[in-house]
């Protein structure tokens, strides 16, 4: 499997000629490029930095074979597009080409009691090869080899991120959701969460456009 990191929360996975793209949002300048060759788009939740509605609608109109998987509240606001936009919830599993995906978690992490928490799901790909949690520190009841770890945002806390990594027990951690951190802030997060910090694992910080083999 090949993993490509784009800016913020957007990533692409490719295997056996199939391409999945997760969370192409408005914070990702390369989102259109990422989606252009996708067989399926997976949305963790409806916040604009994870879901660019106009971009995904245009891609669905241009490519009748494209599928989208998202929580029910996103599908309800966006429409089913003839059944190609499919609602998913915790406990669901589905396949796209040779990929298998299971769905985990229910709600976005809390920001403040005055701010509603939308549905948020995490996607576990190929029985634990990779886990994208969206905007939550929900621990899946399954082994995880590569954990995508959010490091910035109004809901994040580095101590909770460290506990999340300890609970998941992955083999490696790769940073996502980083755009609210300066270079210094990213280095500080890597020091705190990394191999010499609270998790015992190096926090990998691939630049946007970098592809890694998993």
């Amino acid at each position: 499997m090949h993993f490509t990191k784009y800016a913020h929360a957007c990533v692409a996975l490719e295997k056996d000629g199939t391409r999945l793209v997760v969370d192409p949002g408005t914070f990702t300048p390369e989102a259109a490029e990422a989606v252009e060759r996708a067989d399926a788009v997976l949305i963790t939740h409806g916040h604009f930095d994870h879901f660019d509605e106009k971009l995904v609608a245009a891609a669905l109109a241009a490519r009748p074979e494209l599928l989208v998987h998202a929580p029910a509240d996103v599908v309800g606001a966006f429409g089913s597009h003839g059944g190609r936009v499919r609602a998913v919830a915790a406990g669901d599993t589905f396949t796209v080409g040779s990929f298998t995906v299971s769905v985990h978690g229910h709600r976005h992490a809390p920001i403040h009691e005055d701010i509603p928490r939308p549905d948020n799901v995490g996607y576990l790909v190929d029985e634990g090869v990779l886990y994208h949690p969206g905007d939550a520190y929900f621990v899946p009841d399954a082994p995880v080899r590569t954990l995508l770890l959010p490091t910035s945002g109004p809901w994040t806390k580095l101590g909770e991120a460290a506990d999340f990594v300890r609970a998941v027990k992955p083999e490696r951690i790769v940073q996502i959701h980083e755009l609210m951190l300066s270079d210094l802030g990213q280095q500080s997060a890597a020091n705190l969460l990394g191999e010499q910090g609270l998790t015992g694992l190096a926090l990998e910080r691939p630049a946007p456009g970098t592809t890694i083999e998993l």
Side-chain angles (χ1 to χ4, degrees):
M1 182 191 305
H2 289 92
F3 161 85
T4 300
K5 170 76 172 71
Y6 293 98
H8 204 53
C10 182
V11 304
L13 303 172
E14 295 188 70
K15 186 185 71 168
D16 300 331
T18 300
R19 179 177 172 89
L20 305 181
V21 173
V22 186
D23 282 1
T26 60
F27 282 10
T28 303
E30 321 94 332
E33 172 192 333
V35 171
E36 183 177 7
R37 296 183 291 110
D39 296 284
V41 173
L42 282 51
I43 306 297
T44 63
H45 64 289
H47 283 167
F48 60 87
D49 58 326
H50 295 252
F51 173 47
D52 185 333
E53 182 175 345
K54 291 182 179 179
L55 170 64
V56 175
L60 283 164
R63 300 179 51 228
E65 73 280 8
L66 180 65
L67 300 175
V68 176
H69 298 264
D73 58 350
V74 173
V75 175
F78 188 54
S80 68
H81 289 260
R84 291 190 294 138
V85 179
R86 302 170 181 178
V88 295
D92 290 346
T93 60
F94 58 91
T95 61
V96 181
S98 62
F99 284 105
T100 61
V101 182
S102 58
V103 184
H104 302 264
H106 303 278
R107 287 284 183 270
H108 192 286
I111 299 173
H112 188 274
E113 62 182 9
D114 290 348
I115 299 176
R117 296 170 61 189
D119 292 344
N120 179 96
V121 298
Y123 294 106
L124 186 67
V125 181
D126 280 358
E127 299 181 349
V129 172
L130 179 137
Y131 180 55
H132 191 311
D135 277 7
Y137 292 138
F138 182 87
V139 178
D141 185 19
V144 174
R145 283 168 50 191
T146 298
L147 173 65
L148 304 186
L149 183 64
T151 58
S152 77
W155 60 275
T156 58
K157 184 177 180 181
L158 295 186
E160 292 178 357
D163 288 341
F164 177 53
V165 174
R166 290 179 176 184
V168 174
K169 299 182 177 67
E171 296 178 14
R172 66 195 297 185
I173 50 177
V174 177
Q175 174 179 256
I176 60 169
H177 215 273
E178 74 285 349
L179 280 188
M180 292 185 182
L181 292 178
S182 65
D183 290 342
L184 180 60
Q186 288 195 41
Q187 185 60 54
S188 177
N191 289 340
L192 184 64
L193 297 172
E195 193 169 14
Q196 304 304 317
L198 295 172
T199 70
L201 294 171
L203 177 61
E204 299 177 43
R205 297 186 293 145
T210 301
T211 297
I212 300 169
E213 186 171 350
L214 302 180

